[in-house]
Amino acid sequence: MSTTVSDNRAGSLVGRSVAFVTMGCAKNEVDSEHMMDRLAAAGYGIEEDPERADVVIVNTCSFIQSATEESIDAILEVAGYESVASGSSKIVVAGCMPARYGSDLESELSEVDSFVPCADEANIVETVDGMLGVERMPGSDLAVELSHDASLVKPSAYVKISDGCDRFCAYCTIPFIRGRYHSFPLVDVVAEVERQRALGAREIVLIAQDTGRWGSDFEEPSSLAKLLGHLAERFEDTWFRVMYIQPEGVTDELIASVAAHDNVCSYFDIPFQHSNERIVRSMNRRGSAGEYLALIEKIRREIPGVTLRTTLIAGYPGETEEDFEGLLEFVEDADLDYVGVFPYSREEGTRSYDLPGQVDEEDKVRRAQEVRDLADAISSSRISRRVGSTFDVLVCGIEEDGQMYGRAMCQAPEVDGVTYVDGAEIGDVVRVRIDDTLFYEMEGTIVA
C-alpha cells in the first residue's frame, strides 16, 4: 500500500516516523542532522526511540576496523528490535560503511533494507519514500528551508566547512570513503551558521577532514583564516572553534586571525600522528619532532594561554623501540594540554597494510597505553594549574543529579572534559572562577 502526499509540510505523513542511530565522529553527527532535516521537511516525524520508528537509519563509521565492528553491532542490535524482526519497521544503513564496502554489504547484512553511501545522503527522502511506498504529487518540492525539532539543538553546534580529503595518508581510508577534497562555499557556511544560531547555538565548531585547506580549491582561492575572520566579525556574540587542522594548515595568517578575535577560541587541534620523521614520511605526511616543537613554540608565543591538542598513532609499521622512546620524549617536550592516542589499525586497502615491520598487536596496545598514561599525567598537571583562574563558560546541560555543566574555550566538545557550575541556565555564558579540577574536569563558582 502506498501513501500519496501533496506537499511536504511537517505532519503531512501522519504516523510515518524515522529514527537515527549515529556512530563515529562529529562529522557523522552533522550528516545525520542534515538527513534528519530533509526528512522532517518532507513531512516525516523524527522519533527519539528507534524501537518505535517506521524506519531506523544507522549512520555508520568505518574509519578503522574497530569502528566498523561497532557499527555492525549497532546494525544487528536494531535488527533485533521486535518491530524490525516482524517486518513492520525498516533498516537503512548510511554513511561510511556502504561508501567503503559497497555492494559487499548486501550479502553480509541481509537484515538491511537499503544502503545509502555518503555521496547519496542528499537523496535520503527518496530512499525512505521508496521503502514505505510514499508517492508524492508531481511538482512536490523538497527544497524547503530545513529545520528540525528545536528541542534537539544544543548550545554548541557543529558546522562542516568541507568534505573529502586529498592527502591519502598511508594508514587512512577517508579518501576512499568521502572522496576528493572540496570546500563548501562561504555563502553556504554562513547560511548554516545563521541557521544554527537561530536554533539557539552559542558556539559553532567548524569541522572537516582537513579544515586548514578550506578555500584553497576555489577559483579565487581563499583561506581558513579569512573564513574565521569573516565569521567572527559577522557574528560577534558567537564563539567559533576549529578542529582537525593539519600542521601545514597552521599558517601565520591563521595564527594572527585567531589572536585578533576574542570570540574565536584560542584552541588548536593539530594531528601530528607521530614525531619520528621517517615514520611520518612513511605515513605520506610531512614533519618531524623539531618542526612540530617549533610550531608549538610559535603558537604559544603569538597566543599566550592558547590550548593545544593533538592525536598520535603508536605501533605504526616500522616503529622500533627507539622510535617509540622518541615519541614519548616528544610528548614530554611538547607539554600539550590534550592528547588523543590510538594503536595503529591495519586497514585493508591502505598503503600501510602491506608495509614491512608490522608491530605485534600486543606491542601496539602497550605502546599506545604508555603514551596515553604519560599524556594524561601531563594534561592533568596542566589542567590543575587553572585553579584560581577565571574563564567564560558556556552552560551546555544538566547531569541526572541536577548538576549543571558547561565548557570553557579551552574545552572542545566531547573530548576535553567539562566545567561544573551552579546557578545558571543552559545556553548562558557565565564568568567562572575555577575552584578545583579532577583529571580533565573542572569545577567552579560563577563570579559575574
Side-chain angles (χ1 to χ4, degrees):
M1 179 181 295
S2 65
T3 301
T4 302
V5 296
S6 58
D7 59 43
N8 52 9
R9 294 172 298 181
S12 62
L13 297 181
V14 177
R16 299 293 194 176
S17 63
V18 180
F20 281 80
V21 176
T22 302
M23 311 300 294
C25 66
K27 292 178 284 293
N28 267 14
E29 291 181 27
V30 172
D31 292 343
S32 286
E33 181 178 310
H34 287 175
M35 286 189 282
M36 188 185 304
D37 285 338
R38 288 184 167 88
L39 289 160
Y44 286 99
I46 305 302
E47 174 60 60
E48 292 189 21
D49 182 358
E51 296 191 60
R52 299 174 57 185
D54 295 297
V55 176
V56 181
I57 299 174
V58 183
N59 192 8
T60 58
C61 178
S62 192
F63 175 54
I64 57 177
Q65 189 58 38
S66 60
T68 301
E69 291 169 359
E70 288 176 8
S71 291
I72 291 172
D73 288 344
I75 294 165
L76 295 179
E77 181 179 347
V78 171
Y81 294 164
E82 183 178 342
S83 59
V84 174
S86 68
S88 61
S89 297
K90 308 289 187 182
I91 304 178
V92 175
V93 169
C96 296
M97 275 184 62
R100 182 175 179 183
Y101 296 108
S103 58
D104 292 345
L105 292 181
E106 295 180 14
S107 58
E108 297 295 328
L109 292 170
S110 58
E111 303 90 345
V112 176
D113 297 283
S114 184
F115 295 92
V116 179
C118 303
D120 293 341
E121 287 175 354
N123 301 319
I124 190 65
V125 172
E126 291 83 351
T127 298
V128 174
D129 280 355
M131 294 171 60
L132 296 180
V134 172
E135 298 175 3
R136 296 182 185 272
M137 297 294 290
S140 178
D141 182 13
L142 296 181
V144 300
E145 182 178 355
L146 303 177
S147 63
H148 58 73
D149 187 348
S151 68
L152 300 177
V153 176
K154 300 176 182 177
S156 177
Y158 293 106
V159 170
K160 283 175 69 173
I161 62 173
S162 68
D163 207 354
C165 187
D166 288 346
R167 291 184 178 276
F168 290 93
C169 296
Y171 53 83
C172 185
T173 60
I174 290 298
F176 310 108
I177 294 171
R178 293 280 177 177
R180 302 307 295 264
Y181 178 87
H182 57 282
S183 302
F184 297 162
L186 174 62
V187 64
D188 292 350
V189 175
V190 169
E192 181 64 10
V193 170
E194 288 179 332
R195 188 174 76 90
Q196 295 293 350
R197 278 168 37 90
L199 290 168
R202 300 291 303 274
E203 176 191 45
I204 299 296
V205 184
L206 303 179
I207 57 172
Q209 276 75 32
D210 189 355
T211 50
R213 280 200 60 198
W214 184 88
S216 63
D217 56 330
F218 291 158
E219 188 173 337
E220 293 184 14
S222 188
S223 68
L224 176 61
K226 289 184 174 65
L227 173 65
L228 263 184
H230 180 87
L231 294 175
E233 290 163 18
R234 181 164 180 158
F235 306 106
E236 294 181 348
D237 61 345
T238 301
W239 291 6
F240 289 93
R241 183 188 305 276
V242 185
M243 305 296 287
Y244 317 124
I245 313 171
Q246 299 295 335
E248 54 268 41
V250 185
T251 62
D252 290 347
E253 182 192 25
L254 179 62
I255 294 171
S257 184
V258 173
H261 298 96
D262 290 340
N263 59 328
V264 174
C265 298
S266 297
Y267 186 105
F268 285 82
D269 171 30
I270 312 170
F272 294 129
Q273 308 300 15
H274 210 282
S275 60
N276 180 278
E277 187 172 9
R278 175 180 55 80
I279 296 291
V280 171
R281 193 164 54 246
S282 176
M283 290 176 168
N284 197 35
R285 295 171 63 85
R286 287 178 288 174
S288 64
E291 292 176 62
Y292 296 157
L293 290 172
L295 177 60
I296 290 167
E297 182 183 0
K298 177 195 289 188
I299 296 170
R300 284 177 168 157
R301 183 174 63 249
E302 299 296 327
I303 310 177
V306 68
T307 301
L308 296 173
R309 160 176 277 279
T310 194
T311 52
L312 300 170
I313 296 173
Y316 188 81
E319 182 190 75
T320 65
E321 284 293 338
E322 184 178 356
D323 297 333
F324 171 62
E325 291 298 325
L327 181 60
L328 291 173
E329 183 178 341
F330 170 74
V331 170
E332 222 168 343
D333 291 342
D335 192 29
L336 299 173
D337 297 277
Y338 303 103
V339 179
V341 187
F342 304 92
Y344 165 72
S345 180
R346 190 181 184 193
E347 298 296 317
E348 288 191 47
T350 61
R351 195 180 311 176
S352 65
Y353 184 83
D354 293 319
L355 285 178
Q358 297 286 333
V359 179
D360 290 343
E361 196 67 32
E362 185 176 324
D363 285 337
K364 287 191 292 187
V365 172
R366 172 184 59 81
R367 291 177 185 181
Q369 189 61 54
E370 284 190 43
V371 178
R372 187 174 292 117
D373 289 344
L374 174 60
D376 284 348
I378 292 169
S379 294
S380 184
S381 175
R382 290 188 64 87
I383 292 167
S384 69
R385 285 178 242 160
R386 297 173 185 168
V387 171
S389 300
T390 56
F391 295 89
D392 287 335
V393 171
L394 172 62
V395 182
C396 298
I398 184 169
E399 301 278 18
E400 290 183 2
D401 63 0
Q403 175 71 62
M404 303 296 299
Y405 66 87
R407 288 183 294 99
M409 284 190 171
C410 58
Q411 296 172 309
E414 302 178 46
V415 291
D416 295 341
V418 297
T419 300
Y420 292 102
V421 296
D422 286 316
E425 299 292 331
I426 294 175
D428 287 349
V429 175
V430 292
R431 193 71 177 168
V432 174
R433 183 188 66 245
I434 304 304
D435 300 322
D436 197 8
T437 64
L438 178 61
F439 197 31
Y440 285 177
E441 316 297 343
M442 302 194 298
E443 185 176 345
T445 302
I446 296 175
V447 295

